[in-house]
Amino acid sequence: MLINEILFSAQLTNEQKLIVTKIINSERLNTAEGTELFNFDLGVLGIIASHVNLKKNESKVYFNKNFHIEPTNICIYNCKFCSYHRRIGEDGSWEYPLDEILKKVESYKNSDVTEVHIVGGVHPSRDLNYYGLMLSKIKEILPHIHIKAFTAVELDYMIKKAGLTLEEGLIKLKNYGLGSIPGGGAEIFDPEIRKKVCHEKSSSEQWLMIHETAHKTGLQSNATMLYGHLENYRHRIEHLNKLRELQDKTNGFNTFIPLKYKKENNSLSYLGEVNTYEDLKNYAVSRIYLDNFNHIKAYWPMLGKDITQIALSFGVDDIDGTIDDSTKIYSMAGAKDTRPSMNTNEITQLIKTSGKIPVERDTLYNIIQK
Ligand code: V47
Ligand code: SF4
């Protein structure tokens, strides 16, 4: 049976039928249509998102081999959803000296990892020169590694502190060895909700400007959205819409990663967490709405292995990496697995048992040939 026959036998309103027709004809949805997607039956959304994903990625599911470094959790900001940041000297704070960080890098010398992902808090005194030195020392040890580092919020602070323009700062970091930029710090772009959850840090406009400038200087990046807190469906679609507009302009985003708000040990705990039904809906809507993004990534240490596997039937085509000693952002906010790691065999099995084809990629989605 053809996809449109399956869809038209489902219980859809006339408005929903028009939306499905547009998607099947590869026509772009507007924000009202995008918001209406959240009212679709979940099974129908899964079929549509899988159809869109299949056209872009066939049955491939990507993963990479990476490790994480979190130089510090000391942060000048106090985002309401964050369980991770501490003040200098506070219980639970850390700031690893450079030689300790480099020792960890050394331990990957004989491995086949292709990426190191570096993010942390916005430390008041660590500046662009400090991080530049870190990047260049990492490159001395692992010359071929791709360094994906620093959220737009960290970049904003370190570049301003160095008295440089965005462009100058990004070019300087690129020359030190920066390969691309992760998607963090986007949170939710709506100004009212952003004011309530992270009023102190870089604004939505600054986040978008940093990514736009990075793309113009040849640095590709990822995009995220923190969902499941104070925002509603319209805020989510408006967030996706801003990303879609920037992608039209620069084509510099590699992937979109929805991040589910986790509730332990932070000031928004009273809100609780959205359930799996909402997670799957959110993946499917993101896949359908972001027609100019090639990839949608489920960050499995946040989602857990079981739900990650189900997400592959809701538009997801990437499950990130074999994350050793992973980010503590999620374990400190209540993710079940406190030291998440899957070896290549486990990752490929997880993908194969979903009827998909595992493909190892590098950070920029070049396929690693074995
Ligand atoms: O910006 C903080 C989020 C982000 C919580 O680019 C929380 O490949 C849920 O950006 N519940 C940082 N989320 C992590 C990040 C990331 C992760 C994986 C892959 C990539 C990539 C980027 O973590 C922050 C914020 O949105 N975060 N606290 C929390 N309680
Ligand atoms: Fe700092 Fe990032 Fe936590 Fe906000 S989310 S308080 S910027 S570490």
Side-chain angles (χ1 to χ4, degrees):
M1 209 192 272
L2 291 168
I3 167 105
N4 43 356
E5 288 178 56
I6 299 173
L7 290 169
F8 281 93
S9 66
Q11 298 272 313
L12 297 171
T13 64
N14 285 340
E15 184 191 3
Q16 291 176 337
K17 282 182 185 161
L18 286 176
I19 292 173
V20 172
T21 307
K22 282 183 86 171
I23 299 167
I24 289 174
N25 293 334
S26 302
E27 288 172 44
R28 179 165 272 196
L29 301 187
N30 61 33
T31 52
E33 291 160 341
T35 309
E36 178 58 26
L37 286 176
F38 285 101
N39 296 325
F40 274 57
D41 171 84
L42 183 63
V44 172
L45 265 189
I47 295 173
I48 307 173
S50 293
H51 168 78
V52 172
N53 182 31
L54 206 64
K55 281 215 275 190
K56 285 188 183 288
N57 296 300
E58 300 162 343
S59 294
K60 296 190 193 96
V61 174
Y62 295 92
F63 69 96
N64 69 341
K65 291 192 183 138
N66 63 358
F67 67 100
H68 277 232
I69 295 175
E70 289 178 293
T72 181
N73 68 342
I74 288 166
C75 190
I76 56 169
Y77 300 125
N78 186 12
C79 303
K80 294 267 192 305
F81 50 79
C82 178
S83 318
Y84 165 91
H85 68 279
R86 295 288 185 277
R87 300 290 173 206
I88 293 177
E90 200 181 325
D91 249 13
S93 65
W94 70 79
E95 41 186 326
Y96 298 122
L98 190 53
D99 57 350
E100 213 171 299
I101 291 173
L102 297 178
K103 228 184 269 168
K104 177 167 177 172
V105 175
E106 291 267 359
S107 72
Y108 289 93
K109 241 179 155 171
N110 295 317
S111 79
D112 56 356
V113 292
T114 57
E115 171 190 287
V116 53
H117 179 162
I118 309 175
V119 283
V122 179
H123 192 293
S125 54
R126 287 189 170 177
D127 58 11
L128 190 138
N129 294 326
Y130 172 84
Y131 285 114
L133 181 67
M134 181 188 292
L135 296 176
S136 55
K137 292 273 177 203
I138 292 174
K139 279 289 197 189
E140 274 173 30
I141 301 168
L142 299 175
H144 302 298
I145 197 107
H146 181 105
I147 308 178
K148 182 180 75 182
F150 313 129
T151 65
V153 176
E154 292 166 86
L155 290 167
D156 190 18
Y157 182 79
M158 71 174 89
I159 292 172
K160 277 190 187 137
K161 197 172 159 70
L164 300 172
T165 65
L166 266 181
E167 199 180 355
E168 288 165 346
L170 288 165
I171 290 173
K172 209 162 178 196
L173 287 163
K174 196 176 163 196
N175 291 337
Y176 277 124
L178 183 65
S180 67
I181 297 173
E187 321 312 359
I188 195 84
F189 291 147
D190 179 83
E192 290 306 309
I193 305 293
R194 195 172 184 89
K195 212 189 294 168
K196 289 182 185 155
V197 298
C198 56
H199 70 282
E200 304 155 317
K201 72 180 182 188
S202 321
S203 66
S204 308
E205 289 72 26
Q206 284 164 323
W207 189 97
L208 289 159
M209 183 47 75
I210 288 165
H211 282 258
E212 180 170 350
T213 312
H215 297 169
K216 284 185 183 149
T217 57
L219 288 164
Q220 294 178 35
S221 72
N222 293 342
T224 59
M225 172 176 73
L226 184 72
Y227 71 95
H229 46 93
L230 296 175
E231 90 295 351
N232 60 31
Y233 293 146
R234 186 178 48 79
H235 298 130
R236 290 192 209 171
I237 287 294
E238 281 166 4
H239 186 101
L240 298 184
N241 204 53
K242 289 219 157 60
L243 294 176
R244 197 172 73 174
E245 282 171 359
L246 181 51
Q247 181 75 329
D248 276 343
K249 234 167 142 179
T250 63
N251 201 29
F253 288 119
N254 285 319
T255 185
F256 174 66
I257 313 145
L259 297 171
K260 170 207 185 91
Y261 163 68
K262 302 288 288 179
K263 70 173 171 53
E264 300 302 327
N265 311 315
N266 59 61
S267 315
L268 296 179
S269 296
Y270 68 94
L271 291 172
E273 286 174 17
V274 296
N275 58 24
T276 304
Y277 180 90
E278 285 295 322
D279 294 331
L280 296 174
K281 206 193 251 192
N282 196 64
Y283 280 114
V285 171
S286 305
R287 176 57 290 166
I288 297 164
Y289 197 78
L290 290 174
D291 57 2
N292 53 4
F293 276 64
N294 288 333
H295 305 289
I296 304 290
K297 174 152 97 180
Y299 186 59
W300 68 260
M302 173 195 78
L303 215 54
K305 295 173 194 172
D306 295 350
I307 301 169
T308 300
Q309 194 174 31
I310 301 171
L312 300 182
S313 299
F314 287 81
V316 166
D317 70 288
D318 188 307
I319 61 171
D320 209 277
T322 51
I323 301 148
D324 261 345
D325 203 12
S326 146
T327 169
K328 295 188 182 65
I329 288 186
Y330 298 106
S331 50
M332 291 169 82
K336 270 186 252 154
D337 204 347
T338 51
R339 281 211 60 184
S341 127
M342 274 203 272
N343 62 32
T344 311
N345 197 28
E346 287 172 292
I347 287 209
T348 54
Q349 270 311 109
L350 185 144
I351 296 168
K352 278 184 188 164
T353 49
S354 321
K356 311 264 181 182
I357 303 163
V359 177
E360 186 184 341
R361 61 161 176 88
D362 66 11
T363 310
L364 306 178
Y365 288 82
N366 299 302
I367 294 176
I368 310 277
Q369 303 287 355
K370 289 285 163 198

